[in-house]
Amino acid sequence: MINKVFSAEQLDDKDPLAHKAGAFSLPDNTIYLDGNSLGPLPKSAEKRAVEVVQEQWGQGLITSWNKHQWISLPQQVGDKIGELIGAQQGQVICCDSISINLFKVLSAALKMNPRRKVIATTRDNFPTDIYMVQGLLDLLGEEYSIRYVDEASISSQLTDDIAVLMLTQVNFRSGLKLDMKGITEQAHAKGILTLWDLAHSAGAFPVCLDDCNVDFAVGCSYKYLNGGPGAPAFIYVARRHQDSYQQPLSGWMGHSAPFSFSPDYAPDSSVKQNLCGTPGVIGMSILDAALDVFDDVSLKAIDEKSKKLQAFFIAEAKRAGVLEHFGVASPPINCRGSQLALAHDEAYAICQAWIAEGVIADFRAPNILRIGFAPLYLSFADVEKAVTRLAIIMNEKRYENATFQQRQSVT
Amino acid sequence: MINKVFSAEQLDDKDPLAHKAGAFSLPDNTIYLDGNSLGPLPKSAEKRAVEVVQEQWGQGLITSWNKHQWISLPQQVGDKIGELIGAQQGQVICCDSISINLFKVLSAALKMNPRRKVIATTRDNFPTDIYMVQGLLDLLGEEYSIRYVDEASISSQLTDDIAVLMLTQVNFRSGLKLDMKGITEQAHAKGILTLWDLAHSAGAFPVCLDDCNVDFAVGCSYKYLNGGPGAPAFIYVARRHQDSYQQPLSGWMGHSAPFSFSPDYAPDSSVKQNLCGTPGVIGMSILDAALDVFDDVSLKAIDEKSKKLQAFFIAEAKRAGVLEHFGVASPPINCRGSQLALAHDEAYAICQAWIAEGVIADFRAPNILRIGFAPLYLSFADVEKAVTRLAIIMNEKRYENATFQQRQSVT
């Protein structure tokens, strides 16, 4: 815990990541606690956006597929992400969306564990993860089924009829962080393949896919990786599975020789097989540049600062009497990701009132004020101000008469 | 046929589309005959790229999902594309890639025609179209199959065991343009659903999906629609099918209420159901602006100019003795799209030599020099120069000693 004798200023002074905020183009007078929905604009990405559009596309036209190596972007970006999630080269590729990537991996995993017909996941997983299973099962027929396991005791529910266990490492609502290593090990002991969704993990804290012996993972790049709105997602396929892996969205870019235009599909033998159609070069180039922000920082340092920011938020919130108004819907700091969930029946209106005061957080149905802590651009002074403004809103009940339009936010 | 008494200058003078080249940022000293691989950069798109990155993402952050209506971009862009392909509002949506969209539509179509188990297509269809069928069939099991029909006599091969007929309107290699209305009618007479790939059609000439009573269509936006490298694709679902349509890539954005985070998937009842994961906002915004180029021109005018450009090319090529060196691998001008295929054993080296002279065309295995005519930015003077340079290359056999690196181009 942060001792209250340290002021925000003192904490910022000794913050080894303080300089990184300068790597982002942030709006004035805004405290951003929603980097876990959409990360802000890195200056490197801003520069690359102009470059890829004006020079590479505008001047290079079709020749840029080679000249500017658009053709190898998915692997290049994949390997950059791989470094941030504990994956050796050649196991991560950047492509499509998490939803589509889940479909690929789940289909492939079922084929690799053919005697089993159950996909297990948590009821409180992010909806699209569950929806994608439902869509796949609908296609495959009644032989297959989904089984919901309780997030609080996953290991005890692992049975030998489960083909694949699909989990999101950090719960999108509560922030609960699952024990990747332990659960993966227990799943393997029962012959179950594991698929981890890293949406709220990648770029937020050290993830160790190789060390945890994970089979497959997916994740998005528009949250803590700051890749931009709807930036492309990624897939991890552990090297040991790449030979037998075969996913059904067999587009030409996943072919072993896409430009031979051969009549029959022959999958690439690497993680590249997960490519399907022509990749979105502009979005992927912007992401490529955005990832450079991580060049000179460690995920360990990011994680440490996140914990300090969160502890400071809670200490300040307690001192200002803010926490009396909320239930804490997150587990303790060592068991959660880089976010805090506060429960209140008026959470939606409170969130909107906070936004009106220049503090952007997020609301999650039914009653959660979700606060994201992204250490690359958030200062302790920001946190202090955010708490002060929330205290005023709560003490003066400013949210009560607010008429805010419902905002659709994209997690 | 163009009478040779008209010079390129005279033809350009009376070209009603001549002013449109000013809407593009084109490189100097380049004649671009590859807009059917990747359209060039519209100035409107260049401007929007800066806006969406710097202002909407950089300054607006997460609030831009509403403030700048990112959330409705897929429908907005879909309807804009709809206007160019003869589809009334509410039937086209912008999303993902052609490959992924084919998977969605094929799966849905098989469900809608449940007693039939055959997908028919042409052997010479673009490879990814065929690969996607192969991937789907592999997932569905042996009950289903693909059947190849001969492009030259499709109607006579339509039998009542075919569930869906998947055709690309314009052959990517030869440019052969199929009779959409006639084939669709004949397919319907046999109870077959039709799926048309408009990759080389949209933006090139009038397409009349509604009038042709087409069931489904897909297409990409980076060719004649000039949406940028890997720009998102689109899907058309005829309104009469939307109630019974259900596709398996059931991501949260296709849910009837994505932000309710309800536990079970409930598809949107409109074409919006085809959305899956979070859309790539930057690429889609750029495409949205790129489409503004079509605001003040008709597809009819574009088609007319294309035919004149092609006829002028052929007349000039004949006059310069170029055609003696090639076989013409395209059908007559009224039976093909906005492209011309010339066959030569050294087509690859010839293409590279032409590029070295500032004329960008494309090579398609095994022996095709593929020449695209995009009337919005191509002048008759460009065509004249292109032919002159090709004549020198052929007459002097400049391609013979060329050592060009194989270029991977993305069709």
Side-chain angles (χ1 to χ4, degrees):
Chain A
M1 280 294 283
I2 304 291
N3 190 319
K4 65 184 169 187
V5 298
F6 289 115
S7 68
E9 201 184 344
Q10 286 171 318
L11 290 165
D12 282 325
D13 278 348
K14 57 180 185 175
D15 169 18
L17 296 180
H19 68 289
K20 290 303 294 185
F24 294 85
S25 283
L26 296 161
D28 295 331
N29 304 316
T30 299
I31 295 168
Y32 198 52
L33 303 176
D34 208 9
N36 52 338
S37 265
L38 173 65
L41 171 62
K43 288 177 180 166
S44 52
E46 192 173 354
K47 185 165 168 276
R48 179 73 75 85
V50 173
E51 228 170 81
V52 68
V53 171
Q54 293 181 4
E55 288 169 39
Q56 298 183 10
W57 174 20
Q59 297 298 305
L61 294 164
I62 191 75
T63 68
S64 290
W65 279 101
N66 277 352
K67 194 175 164 192
H68 295 290
Q69 299 179 301
W70 290 349
I71 200 71
S72 53
L73 262 179
Q75 290 113 299
Q76 179 183 319
V77 175
D79 280 335
K80 271 192 186 182
I81 293 171
E83 281 185 37
L84 303 176
I85 55 176
Q88 290 283 322
Q89 303 279 293
Q91 299 177 104
V92 179
I93 193 138
C94 181
C95 54
D96 299 319
S97 62
I98 285 191
S99 301
I100 286 169
N101 290 345
L102 284 168
F103 189 89
K104 297 174 192 165
V105 175
L106 287 168
S107 306
L110 288 179
K111 270 201 156 183
M112 292 165 76
N113 216 349
R115 291 190 194 162
R116 301 176 178 209
K117 311 292 177 189
V118 176
I119 295 172
T121 191
T122 59
R123 214 356 157 179
D124 200 31
N125 203 339
F126 187 68
T128 210
D129 297 53
I130 294 172
Y131 299 163
M132 292 310 296
V133 176
Q134 292 172 346
L136 175 61
L137 297 191
D138 195 45
L139 199 63
L140 294 178
E142 290 175 2
E143 196 186 356
Y144 292 87
S145 62
I146 188 168
R147 182 179 305 154
Y148 297 104
V149 295
D150 182 354
E151 200 175 57
S153 57
I154 292 170
S155 301
S156 67
Q157 299 159 83
L158 299 176
T159 49
D160 60 12
D161 57 347
I162 298 171
V164 54
L165 174 64
M166 173 186 80
L167 297 171
T168 297
Q169 189 184 14
V170 174
N171 183 296
F172 76 106
R173 207 183 266 115
S174 71
L176 173 72
K177 183 177 169 183
L178 298 174
D179 170 16
M180 180 181 276
K181 199 178 180 83
I183 293 172
T184 300
E185 198 178 313
Q186 286 150 344
H188 286 172
K190 297 277 184 183
I192 301 168
L193 291 164
T194 57
L195 163 55
W196 290 88
D197 180 340
L198 307 178
H200 294 268
S201 308
F205 52 79
V207 177
C208 308
L209 293 180
D210 286 349
D211 284 351
C212 291
N213 210 19
V214 161
D215 302 287
F216 312 104
V218 298
C220 72
S221 67
Y222 50 76
K223 297 176 187 293
Y224 296 103
L225 297 178
N226 314 304
F234 60 86
I235 294 189
Y236 164 91
V237 177
R239 193 174 307 277
R240 66 185 178 282
H241 292 311
Q242 291 183 11
D243 277 348
S244 49
Y245 182 92
Q246 191 163 354
Q247 65 88 11
L249 299 181
S250 47
W252 70 314
M253 286 290 168
H255 193 283
S256 59
F259 297 94
S260 69
F261 297 111
S262 68
D264 292 310
Y265 183 72
D268 193 275
S269 59
S270 76
V271 71
K272 189 166 165 277
Q273 186 204 124
N274 286 295
L275 295 184
C276 183
T278 306
V281 168
I282 297 176
M284 207 176 286
S285 297
I286 290 171
L287 166 60
D288 181 51
L291 293 170
D292 292 345
V293 165
F294 291 90
D295 276 355
D296 60 350
V297 290
S298 73
L299 269 304
K300 187 165 169 287
I302 290 172
D303 188 34
E304 281 168 4
K305 181 173 169 187
S306 170
K307 288 188 166 60
K308 283 181 189 164
L309 286 166
Q310 293 187 62
F312 186 65
F313 181 95
I314 288 172
E316 289 296 300
K318 272 185 186 158
R319 219 164 44 169
V322 167
L323 284 196
E324 294 159 23
H325 301 278
F326 291 94
V328 174
S330 286
I333 204 158
N334 284 320
C335 304
R336 69 172 185 255
S338 200
Q339 69 187 70
L340 177 66
L342 299 180
H344 193 291
D345 286 347
E346 297 296 328
Y348 177 74
I350 293 166
C351 185
Q352 293 301 310
W354 216 10
I355 290 172
E357 297 293 325
V359 182
I360 302 180
D362 222 329
F363 165 73
R364 278 292 167 270
N367 67 338
I368 297 295
L369 180 65
R370 193 178 74 167
I371 303 164
F373 296 86
L376 291 177
Y377 46 86
L378 195 67
S379 70
F380 292 89
D382 288 336
V383 169
E384 189 175 57
K385 278 185 221 160
V387 172
T388 304
R389 293 177 199 174
L390 186 56
I392 293 169
I393 290 164
M394 299 313 294
N395 294 334
E396 297 181 4
K397 299 195 175 180
R398 283 200 191 177
Y399 54 88
E400 278 197 338
N401 297 312
T403 53
F404 298 106
Q405 206 196 332
Q406 176 78 34
R407 173 165 70 89
Q408 290 181 303
S409 65
V410 174
T411 191
Chain B
M1 279 297 281
I2 302 293
N3 190 320
K4 66 187 170 186
V5 300
F6 289 115
S7 68
E9 201 184 344
Q10 286 171 316
L11 290 165
D12 281 326
D13 277 348
K14 57 180 185 174
D15 170 17
L17 296 180
H19 66 290
K20 291 304 294 186
F24 294 85
S25 283
L26 296 161
D28 295 332
N29 304 318
T30 300
I31 294 169
Y32 198 53
L33 302 177
D34 207 8
N36 52 339
S37 263
L38 173 65
L41 171 61
K43 288 177 181 166
S44 52
E46 191 173 357
K47 186 165 167 273
R48 179 73 76 84
V50 172
E51 227 170 80
V52 68
V53 170
Q54 293 181 3
E55 289 169 38
Q56 298 184 9
W57 174 19
Q59 297 297 305
L61 294 163
I62 189 76
T63 68
S64 290
W65 279 102
N66 277 352
K67 194 175 164 191
H68 295 290
Q69 299 180 298
W70 291 348
I71 199 72
S72 53
L73 261 178
Q75 289 114 300
Q76 180 183 317
V77 175
D79 280 334
K80 271 192 186 183
I81 293 171
E83 281 185 36
L84 303 175
I85 55 177
Q88 290 284 320
Q89 303 279 292
Q91 299 177 103
V92 179
I93 194 140
C94 180
C95 54
D96 299 319
S97 62
I98 284 193
S99 302
I100 286 170
N101 291 345
L102 284 168
F103 190 89
K104 296 174 193 166
V105 175
L106 287 168
S107 307
L110 288 179
K111 270 202 157 184
M112 291 165 76
N113 216 351
R115 292 191 194 159
R116 300 176 179 210
K117 310 293 178 189
V118 176
I119 295 172
T121 192
T122 59
R123 214 353 155 185
D124 200 31
N125 203 340
F126 187 68
T128 209
D129 296 55
I130 294 173
Y131 299 163
M132 291 311 296
V133 175
Q134 293 172 345
L136 175 62
L137 296 190
D138 195 45
L139 199 62
L140 294 179
E142 291 175 2
E143 194 186 357
Y144 291 86
S145 63
I146 188 168
R147 182 178 306 153
Y148 297 104
V149 295
D150 183 352
E151 202 174 55
S153 58
I154 292 170
S155 300
S156 67
Q157 299 159 83
L158 299 177
T159 48
D160 60 12
D161 57 343
I162 297 171
V164 54
L165 174 64
M166 174 186 80
L167 296 171
T168 297
Q169 190 184 12
V170 174
N171 184 297
F172 76 105
R173 206 184 266 116
S174 71
L176 174 70
K177 184 178 168 183
L178 298 174
D179 170 15
M180 179 181 277
K181 199 179 179 85
I183 294 173
T184 299
E185 199 178 311
Q186 285 149 346
H188 286 173
K190 298 275 184 187
I192 300 167
L193 291 165
T194 57
L195 163 56
W196 289 89
D197 180 339
L198 306 178
H200 293 269
S201 308
F205 52 78
V207 176
C208 308
L209 293 180
D210 286 349
D211 284 352
C212 291
N213 210 19
V214 161
D215 301 289
F216 313 104
V218 299
C220 72
S221 67
Y222 50 77
K223 297 177 187 295
Y224 296 103
L225 297 178
N226 313 303
F234 61 86
I235 293 188
Y236 164 90
V237 178
R239 194 175 305 279
R240 67 186 177 281
H241 291 312
Q242 292 184 10
D243 278 348
S244 49
Y245 182 92
Q246 192 163 354
Q247 64 88 11
L249 300 180
S250 48
W252 69 316
M253 286 290 168
H255 193 283
S256 58
F259 297 94
S260 68
F261 297 110
S262 66
D264 293 309
Y265 183 71
D268 192 274
S269 59
S270 76
V271 72
K272 190 167 163 275
Q273 186 204 125
N274 286 296
L275 295 183
C276 183
T278 305
V281 168
I282 296 176
M284 208 177 285
S285 296
I286 289 171
L287 166 59
D288 181 50
L291 293 170
D292 292 344
V293 166
F294 291 90
D295 276 355
D296 60 350
V297 289
S298 73
L299 270 304
K300 187 167 168 285
I302 290 172
D303 188 34
E304 281 168 5
K305 182 173 170 187
S306 170
K307 288 188 165 62
K308 285 182 189 162
L309 287 166
Q310 293 187 62
F312 185 66
F313 181 95
I314 288 172
E316 288 295 301
K318 273 185 186 158
R319 219 162 45 168
V322 168
L323 283 197
E324 294 159 23
H325 300 279
F326 291 94
V328 174
S330 287
I333 203 158
N334 284 318
C335 306
R336 68 173 185 255
S338 200
Q339 68 187 70
L340 177 67
L342 299 180
H344 192 293
D345 286 348
E346 295 297 329
Y348 178 74
I350 293 166
C351 185
Q352 293 301 310
W354 215 11
I355 291 173
E357 297 293 327
V359 182
I360 303 179
D362 222 330
F363 164 74
R364 278 293 168 270
N367 68 339
I368 298 296
L369 180 65
R370 192 179 73 168
I371 303 164
F373 297 86
L376 290 177
Y377 45 86
L378 195 67
S379 69
F380 292 88
D382 289 336
V383 169
E384 189 174 57
K385 278 184 221 161
V387 172
T388 305
R389 294 178 200 174
L390 185 57
I392 293 168
I393 290 165
M394 299 313 296
N395 294 335
E396 298 180 4
K397 299 196 176 182
R398 284 204 190 171
Y399 54 89
E400 278 197 337
N401 298 312
T403 54
F404 298 107
Q405 204 195 333
Q406 175 80 33
R407 175 166 69 90
Q408 290 181 303
S409 67
V410 174
T411 190

